[in-house]
């Protein structure tokens, strides 16, 4: 079964509590929370305060995607805010990211590593055994509502092959430009979890999207 992670960046923030409740009631599996610093990416989103608010609104698993130049400075803040997983980018830490995975694990959270569409799988594959999640970006991070970059499916396939070959438990999450039209293709390439921002929150049939994803 493929899991669905609505990205709260696509929600209507003037009705945040209703949006979170609706995501939970749709049958979606976890919430994806995009944190942007205006430096690593050319946009600013929200910080630990909003994550804490969301944590009070729901018991859902909170998957925090850090698009920050110095992610390690904020691990504690997001852990205290209620994150269940923290993912950071290999582009922010091109050297061995394993010590940072250990720091996240010591906080009692799952650890994820992400890579941009122009990265090569080889940049992260050697470290995957240290991570619970691999977040493959299928758009350049920074904004919701962008078009899916299909060449990133090669990275998903390469990661799937590596994870299966080495019997790793790392789950593959794919993020950016995913909706009902391409969900099956992304799942076929080897994704375990699909992130959907605008496609989910703009839909009037959110539980249909959860059912569709679960059926892949
Ligand atoms: C992009 C974010 C994504 C984004 C996905 O920087 O990391 O999680 O919210 O939104 P859609 O599904 O609209 O591309
Ligand atoms: Zn994201």
């Amino acid at each position: 079964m493929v899991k669905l992670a609505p990205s709260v960046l696509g929600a209507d923030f003037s009705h945040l509590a209703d949006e979170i409740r609706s995501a939970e009631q749709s049958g979606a599996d976890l919430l994806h929370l995009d944190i942007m610093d205006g430096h690593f990416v050319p946009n600013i989103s929200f910080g630990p305060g909003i994550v804490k608010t969301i944590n009070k609104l729901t018991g859902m698993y909170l998957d925090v995607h850090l698009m920050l130049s110095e992610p390690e400075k904020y691990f504690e803040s997001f852990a205290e805010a209620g994150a269940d997983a923290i993912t950071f980018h290999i582009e922010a830490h091109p050297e061995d990211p394993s010590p940072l995975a250990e720091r996240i694990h010591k906080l009692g959270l799952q650890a994820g590593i992400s890579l941009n569409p122009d990265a090569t799988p080889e940049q992260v594959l050697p470290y995957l055994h240290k991570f619970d999640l691999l977040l493959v970006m299928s758009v350049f991070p920074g904004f919701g509502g962008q078009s899916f970059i299909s060449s990133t499916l090669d990275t998903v396939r390469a990661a799937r092959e590596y994870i299966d070959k080495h019997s790793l438990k790392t789950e593959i999450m794919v993020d950016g430009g995913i909706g009902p039209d391409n969900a099956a293709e992304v799942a076929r390439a080897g994704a375990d979890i699909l992130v959907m921002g605008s496609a989910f929150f703009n839909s009037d049939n959110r539980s249909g999207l959860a059912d569709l994803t679960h059926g892949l």
Side-chain angles (χ1 to χ4, degrees), residues 32 34 65 67 135 175:
H32 181 83
D34 287 307
H65 174 195
M67 287 160 272
L135 180 65
D175 182 10

Side-chain angles (χ1 to χ4, degrees), residues 7 9 32-36 65 67 135 137 141 175-176 195:
S7 169
L9 193 67
H32 181 83
L33 306 178
D34 287 307
I35 315 298
M36 305 178 184
H65 174 195
M67 287 160 272
L135 180 65
M137 291 308 301
D175 182 10
V195 176

Side-chain angles (χ1 to χ4, degrees), residues 121-201:
E122 290 70 32
Q123 287 173 249
V124 293
L125 296 183
Y127 311 115
L128 280 193
H129 61 288
K130 297 279 187 185
F131 287 89
D132 307 286
L133 295 165
L134 170 67
L135 180 65
V136 177
M137 291 308 301
S138 41
V139 299
F140 283 90
F143 300 90
Q146 302 182 75
S147 299
F148 183 80
I149 300 172
S150 44
S151 59
T152 59
L153 288 176
D154 291 339
T155 301
V156 178
R157 287 187 201 99
R160 177 83 275 150
E161 197 181 320
Y162 184 92
I163 286 168
D164 291 349
K165 186 174 162 200
H166 295 88
S167 305
L168 304 182
K169 292 198 177 116
T170 317
E171 289 188 291
I172 302 175
M173 188 182 305
V174 186
D175 182 10
I178 301 176
D181 296 344
N182 58 6
E185 193 185 6
V186 183
R188 257 198 316 274
D192 299 296
I193 307 167
L194 304 182
V195 176
M196 282 186 207
S198 39
F200 182 85
F201 284 102

Side-chain angles (χ1 to χ4, degrees), residues 7-213:
S7 169
V8 172
L9 193 67
D12 177 352
F13 273 71
S14 65
H15 301 282
L16 186 59
D18 292 341
E19 292 284 69
I20 301 297
R21 208 168 300 124
S22 154
E24 184 158 14
Q25 285 169 358
S26 75
D29 304 274
L30 60 152
L31 285 179
H32 181 83
L33 306 178
D34 287 307
I35 315 298
M36 305 178 184
D37 65 355
H39 187 262
F40 182 76
V41 288
N43 196 9
I44 297 174
S45 58
F46 51 85
I50 295 286
V51 174
K52 195 171 180 179
T53 299
I54 292 171
N55 191 40
K56 283 187 195 149
L57 294 168
T58 180
M60 285 179 89
Y61 181 101
L62 301 184
D63 161 46
V64 170
H65 174 195
L66 297 183
M67 287 160 272
L68 308 178
S69 295
E70 297 182 287
E72 68 281 6
K73 284 190 177 171
Y74 300 94
F75 291 166
E76 281 78 12
S77 309
F78 285 102
E80 281 164 24
D84 293 291
I86 291 180
T87 293
F88 63 92
H89 274 255
I90 189 73
E91 290 84 3
H93 266 277
E95 72 283 13
D96 183 355
S98 310
L100 295 189
E102 280 160 28
R103 274 191 51 194
I104 295 170
H105 285 144
K106 278 202 183 116
L107 292 167
L109 311 184
Q110 293 202 298
I113 186 81
S114 184
L115 77 176
N116 282 344
D118 57 356
T120 62
E122 290 70 32
Q123 287 173 249
V124 293
L125 296 183
Y127 311 115
L128 280 193
H129 61 288
K130 297 279 187 185
F131 287 89
D132 307 286
L133 295 165
L134 170 67
L135 180 65
V136 177
M137 291 308 301
S138 41
V139 299
F140 283 90
F143 300 90
Q146 302 182 75
S147 299
F148 183 80
I149 300 172
S150 44
S151 59
T152 59
L153 288 176
D154 291 339
T155 301
V156 178
R157 287 187 201 99
R160 177 83 275 150
E161 197 181 320
Y162 184 92
I163 286 168
D164 291 349
K165 186 174 162 200
H166 295 88
S167 305
L168 304 182
K169 292 198 177 116
T170 317
E171 289 188 291
I172 302 175
M173 188 182 305
V174 186
D175 182 10
I178 301 176
D181 296 344
N182 58 6
E185 193 185 6
V186 183
R188 257 198 316 274
D192 299 296
I193 307 167
L194 304 182
V195 176
M196 282 186 207
S198 39
F200 182 85
F201 284 102
N202 292 341
S203 170
D204 52 15
N205 185 8
R206 296 174 179 181
S207 51
L209 286 174
D211 291 345
L212 180 148
T213 308

